[in-house]
Amino acid sequence: MEQQADIFYRELPKVELHAHLNGSVSVRTVEKLISRKPQLNIKHDMTAIGKGQRRTLDECFQVFKVIHQLVDTEEDILMVATDVIKEFAADGVKYLELRSTPREDNNTGLTKRRYVETVIKAIQQCKNEEVDIDVRFLVAIDRRNGPEVAMETVKLAEDFMLASDGLVVGLDLSGDPTVGHGKYLLPALQRAKNCGLKLSLHLSEVLSQLEESDLLLNLPPDRIGHGTFLHPEVGGSQSLVDKVVKNNIPLELCLTSNVKGKTVPCFAKHHFKYWYQLGHPSVICTDDKGVFSTDLSQEYQLAASTFGLGPDAVWELSRRAIDCIFAPETLKAQLKHKWEELQPQAFQ
Ligand code: 6MZ
């Protein structure tokens, strides 16, 4: 049976700003995908990292490759995206920004354009079914694929920003942080910014990216993914911190992901503490709820128990996340109103 505390975190209305679509696929959806493609001989333990287990970041990236094999048609993407959206809604997430890297597949005829269209279709279907969640989409650049693909991706995102009724709001830069260098991607990112796409960039997810982080912070991005090694105590620098603070760039922080991916030694040493104590906008997120076997309620509960936050502080943390969303101000106001309405229920 759920404990009273667990219920509070589930009832807490939440904003999810850092969720990779294919990393968010649940066990239930993986089962459906495996039954569609038995010939691949993929087992459950190849798509998720269970409780108490840890892998290197490199091993995590192998897991994404396995999931990508399972998700290679429009039908798969539609099912995965609708399932993921409904699961976030069931977890009390009221506003979700999903991100995903458009892929093409010659064998199935999947194109990058159809990929984005299919995610948008899933969002619209959930809206038509009145699922209680507002969803936006960030088109992702996988840094591994280099500057030309990055520029292509920006152009695709630009087209959809203009033609998706406000559903495509921005761009994400992600992928294996140890591969490639952000400096080659600057022209693409600059173009995205100039055309009005919001930028959420994975930054300093691993150590020794000081120069890259400094360059990317000059854009500046609208939000930062992880930012694990920005501050001086862990090998970053005060000047990086100053840039983040001066531009008031919110951080998307993913506790379980960072600990399971071994970039942070334990929850107590997570950089949430540093940024939260500074009073800097910090948003709790899941990253890859399927791969890391978590959900957003658990992540809030984990932050609260690790850093000693009471219910009022947790409420404030979730409410302040609204200010960091990429959707327009009108929606922020609506969400704040929703939080007010839901407050008595969460605290009863
Ligand atoms: C960097 C990550 C990531 O795009 O196919 N991705 N990039 N750091 C992380 N920390 C663990 N987790 C996920 O979702 C999977 C892709 O998201 C990015 C990687 O590029 C991965 O291939 P999509 O929906």
Side-chain angles (χ1 to χ4, degrees):
M1 218 188 87
E2 259 193 331
Q3 303 283 318
Q4 197 59 36
D6 301 338
I7 295 170
F8 170 73
Y9 293 98
R10 218 152 287 287
E11 290 283 327
L12 178 75
K14 292 170 287 290
V15 164
E16 169 65 80
L17 299 182
H18 190 127
H20 299 273
L21 178 61
N22 286 295
S24 301
V25 187
S26 65
V27 174
R28 207 179 57 97
T29 307
V30 166
E31 254 164 37
K32 293 191 274 180
L33 290 165
I34 287 178
S35 70
R36 282 183 181 184
K37 299 183 174 77
Q39 73 286 1
L40 290 176
N41 212 11
I42 290 172
K43 305 276 178 287
H44 284 285
D45 62 355
M46 295 158 76
T47 64
I49 304 169
K51 210 172 170 11
Q53 294 180 331
R54 297 178 75 184
R55 306 270 171 91
T56 62
L57 209 49
D58 193 42
E59 287 165 332
C60 296
F61 282 96
Q62 299 303 322
V63 177
F64 297 125
K65 280 193 191 144
V66 175
I67 298 173
H68 285 160
Q69 279 182 278
L70 283 170
V71 185
D72 65 353
T73 67
E74 281 174 42
E75 293 74 30
D76 298 335
I77 297 161
L78 188 65
M79 178 177 79
V80 163
T82 37
D83 282 3
V84 165
I85 292 169
K86 287 178 185 178
E87 286 155 5
F88 273 115
D91 187 35
V93 174
K94 302 297 175 196
Y95 175 88
L96 163 68
E97 281 174 21
L98 260 186
R99 55 185 76 190
S100 194
T101 326
R103 276 179 292 129
E104 58 197 353
D105 192 306
N106 292 337
N107 294 323
T108 66
L110 180 67
T111 64
K112 293 184 179 182
R113 191 166 286 276
R114 288 298 293 161
Y115 188 106
V116 177
E117 278 168 0
T118 308
V119 176
I120 291 173
K121 186 172 165 188
I123 297 174
Q124 277 161 343
Q125 274 187 10
C126 290
K127 204 170 174 178
N128 294 343
E129 287 176 34
E130 297 184 5
V131 182
D132 183 19
I133 186 168
D134 201 306
V135 187
R136 305 294 152 126
F137 186 46
L138 309 182
V139 182
I141 293 176
D142 185 338
R143 50 185 291 143
R144 183 183 50 165
N145 297 330
E148 278 171 31
V149 174
M151 189 59 92
E152 247 176 54
T153 310
V154 169
K155 288 181 186 160
L156 193 66
E158 219 176 307
D159 288 352
F160 280 101
M161 181 185 67
L162 301 170
S164 64
D165 226 357
L167 294 184
V168 171
V169 287
L171 200 78
D172 155 66
L173 172 64
S174 55
D176 187 341
T178 61
V179 180
H181 197 296
K183 67 181 166 197
Y184 303 116
L185 308 176
L186 278 173
L189 298 173
Q190 191 64 62
R191 174 175 173 145
K193 204 174 159 64
N194 292 346
C195 79
L197 285 159
K198 300 278 189 184
L199 292 185
S200 168
L201 309 182
H202 282 59
L203 224 78
S204 284
E205 189 179 0
V206 290
L207 194 57
S208 66
Q209 284 186 310
L210 292 190
E211 187 211 340
E212 176 182 295
S213 297
D214 191 55
L215 277 174
L216 295 177
L217 279 173
N218 289 339
L219 280 160
D222 299 283
R223 285 198 316 252
I224 293 169
H226 304 297
T228 315
F229 295 95
L230 286 171
H231 56 299
E233 285 82 343
V234 288
S237 75
Q238 191 57 43
S239 76
L240 291 179
V241 172
D242 290 345
K243 279 191 188 181
V244 175
V245 171
K246 186 173 142 259
N247 291 302
N248 200 30
I249 312 172
L251 271 88
E252 304 153 355
L253 301 175
C254 315
L255 277 77
T256 298
S257 161
N258 296 156
V259 170
K260 284 196 171 178
K262 294 191 188 169
T263 52
V264 168
C266 60
F267 292 120
K269 294 208 168 130
H270 195 275
H271 49 294
F272 171 84
K273 188 175 177 185
Y274 177 88
W275 294 98
Y276 186 73
Q277 280 178 348
L278 267 189
H280 189 80
S282 309
V283 184
I284 298 283
C285 303
T286 53
D287 206 6
D288 300 287
K289 73 175 179 61
V291 169
F292 296 114
S293 315
T294 188
D295 60 32
L296 195 54
S297 299
Q298 283 186 55
E299 294 301 302
Y300 268 89
Q301 192 160 8
L302 200 53
S305 61
T306 308
F307 302 107
L309 312 181
D312 290 340
V314 171
W315 181 269
E316 244 343 78
L317 193 59
S318 103
R319 206 181 67 89
R320 287 208 185 133
I322 298 171
D323 289 321
C324 307
I325 72 172
F326 286 164
E329 294 298 321
T330 46
L331 184 58
K332 288 185 188 171
Q334 283 170 21
L335 288 170
K336 284 186 180 162
H337 184 65
K338 190 171 232 174
W339 259 237
E340 258 170 48
E341 276 179 355
L342 293 170
Q343 193 164 17
Q345 192 179 322
F347 280 89
Q348 73 185 346

